[in-house]
């Protein structure tokens, strides 16, 4: 991996460390000798063309797919081969590209589900009745810009509001590492800016480690954090947003002429 001058400083003890990770599907090598270190309370954005392995990386980290080779450690403990619920209980949560919300329930009932699950309360009847930490539920909704919408049915929300609701749900277990897969898809510019502010707050005020996969370069710039570029299943370079925009291979393979617009 090529490091540019503004690259992210490496933590003496990274929270997430990936070494020589490989993943193949049949004859397709999706991840190849992939290396990455992310320290506690750090924010990193990963960009790259479709098919470069970004979502597969998240799937391997969270245990959806087992790695073919290499190692993954979280806070010094191996998570290679663990199942998704085991990885989640260690403090890793993930937001998917399409919001995983319950449209027939209210906003409050949606946030009640992960809050109750974090306390290992799984009976649907209890979840629907809202037996959960009411104070924390309202705090999370306010943090994600959904204050006053707790009684609204999710099906009535805009797509951007559903994205923000899932952000609140991802935060409910109080994770240490948050993986965000294109969190601003379908959002307006105002919602995108609010989401960038929220992600920065998660790191700056709450000490969360956040890794973001994103295609919207406006959002990437708003995050104001180190950016790693994935090409052909590995990290090609890491640097500031401005440096990444000027890196010839990135311009050719991903950003194109629009990078200089």
């Amino acid at each position: 991996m090529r490091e540019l001058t503004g690259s992210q400083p490496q933590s003496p003890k990274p929270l997430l460390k990936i070494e020589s990770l490989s993943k193949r599907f049949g004859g397709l090598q999706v991840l190849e000798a992939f290396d990455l270190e992310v320290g506690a309370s750090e924010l990193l954005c990963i960009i790259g063309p479709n098919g470069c392995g970004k979502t597969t990386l998240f799937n391997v980290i969270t245990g959806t797919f087992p790695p073919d080779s290499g190692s993954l450690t979280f806070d010094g403990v191996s998570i290679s081969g663990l199942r998704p619920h085991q990885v989640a209980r260690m403090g890793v949560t993930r937001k998917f590209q399409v919001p995983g919300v319950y449209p027939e329930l209210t906003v409050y009932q949606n946030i009640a589900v992960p809050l109750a699950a974090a306390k290992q309360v799984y009976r649907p009847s209890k979840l629907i009745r809202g037996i959960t930490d009411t104070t924390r539920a309202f705090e999370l909704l306010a943090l994600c810009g959904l204050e006053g919408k707790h009684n609204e049915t999710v099906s009535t929300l805009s797509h951007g509001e559903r994205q923000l609701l899932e952000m609140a749900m991802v935060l409910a277990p109080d994770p240490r590492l948050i993986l965000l897969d294109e969190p601003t898809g379908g959002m307006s510019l105002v919602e995108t800016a609010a989401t960038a502010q929220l992600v920065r707050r998660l790191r700056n005020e709450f000490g969360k480690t956040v890794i973001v996969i994103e295609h919207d370069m406006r959002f990437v710039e708003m995050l104001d954090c180190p950016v790693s570029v994935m090409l052909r299943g590995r990290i090609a370079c890491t640097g500031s947003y401005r440096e990444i925009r000027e890196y010839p291979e990135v311009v050719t393979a991903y950003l194109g002429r629009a990078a200089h617009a």
Side-chain angles (χ1 to χ4, degrees):
M1 176 182 69
R2 175 169 176 172
E3 298 289 344
L4 305 181
T5 58
S7 62
Q8 183 176 15
Q10 296 299 305
S11 170
K13 182 184 177 183
L15 182 66
L16 177 70
K17 185 173 184 178
I18 303 175
E19 294 183 292
S20 302
L21 183 69
S22 294
K23 183 63 185 178
R24 176 185 294 272
F25 296 98
L28 180 63
Q29 186 77 45
V30 181
L31 298 174
E32 184 174 8
F34 183 95
D35 296 314
L36 181 69
E37 292 188 9
V38 183
S41 302
E42 289 185 354
L43 170 59
L44 174 69
C45 186
I46 299 177
I47 65 173
N50 290 331
C52 73
K54 302 185 302 297
T55 297
T56 296
L57 172 65
F58 275 14
N59 284 333
V60 174
I61 293 173
T62 56
T64 303
F65 298 147
D68 293 331
S69 61
S71 65
L72 300 93
T73 58
F74 180 72
D75 199 18
V77 178
S78 174
I79 59 173
S80 297
L82 292 185
R83 300 181 68 179
H85 72 276
Q86 295 172 311
V87 177
R89 287 177 182 172
M90 293 184 69
V92 180
T93 58
R94 174 184 182 181
K95 185 193 177 310
F96 291 84
Q97 294 181 24
V98 178
V101 295
Y102 306 100
E104 70 280 6
L105 301 181
T106 66
V107 169
Y108 180 82
Q109 288 169 337
N110 268 260
I111 196 66
V113 172
L115 283 171
K119 296 181 179 180
Q120 300 187 6
V121 176
Y122 301 114
R123 291 179 58 186
S125 60
K126 290 187 177 181
L127 295 177
I128 296 300
R129 287 200 303 269
I131 298 177
T132 186
D133 186 339
T134 303
T135 299
R136 178 156 173 76
F138 281 98
E139 287 176 347
L140 288 170
L141 293 177
L143 176 65
C144 295
L146 296 171
E147 190 172 14
K149 294 184 177 289
H150 56 282
N151 284 328
E152 294 189 21
T153 304
V154 171
S155 60
T156 67
L157 299 181
S158 69
H159 180 77
E161 288 173 329
R162 295 188 193 193
Q163 293 274 44
L164 291 169
L165 175 57
E166 192 186 27
M167 284 285 290
M169 295 168 70
V170 164
L171 296 174
D174 196 21
R176 299 178 64 194
L177 172 62
I178 303 167
L179 307 177
L180 304 177
D181 195 345
E182 299 189 32
T184 62
M187 284 188 174
S188 67
L189 183 58
V190 172
E191 291 170 332
T192 296
T195 302
Q197 182 181 36
L198 170 61
V199 173
R200 293 195 304 268
R201 288 187 65 192
L202 293 178
R203 175 196 58 186
N204 297 337
E205 297 181 28
F206 301 97
K208 303 299 183 184
T209 300
V210 187
I211 304 177
V212 182
I213 289 173
E214 189 53 69
H215 281 289
D216 184 348
M217 298 309 294
R218 298 172 304 175
F219 180 61
V220 175
E221 183 177 18
M222 291 174 187
L223 289 177
D224 189 25
C225 71
V227 181
S228 289
V229 180
M230 277 190 73
L231 298 172
R232 297 175 292 278
R234 63 178 67 188
I235 299 296
C237 59
T238 297
S240 69
Y241 172 79
R242 290 186 178 278
E243 289 175 319
I244 290 301
R245 280 171 56 99
E246 302 302 324
Y247 188 49
E249 186 173 2
V250 175
V251 173
T252 301
Y254 182 52
L255 298 177
R257 294 178 183 271
H260 300 281

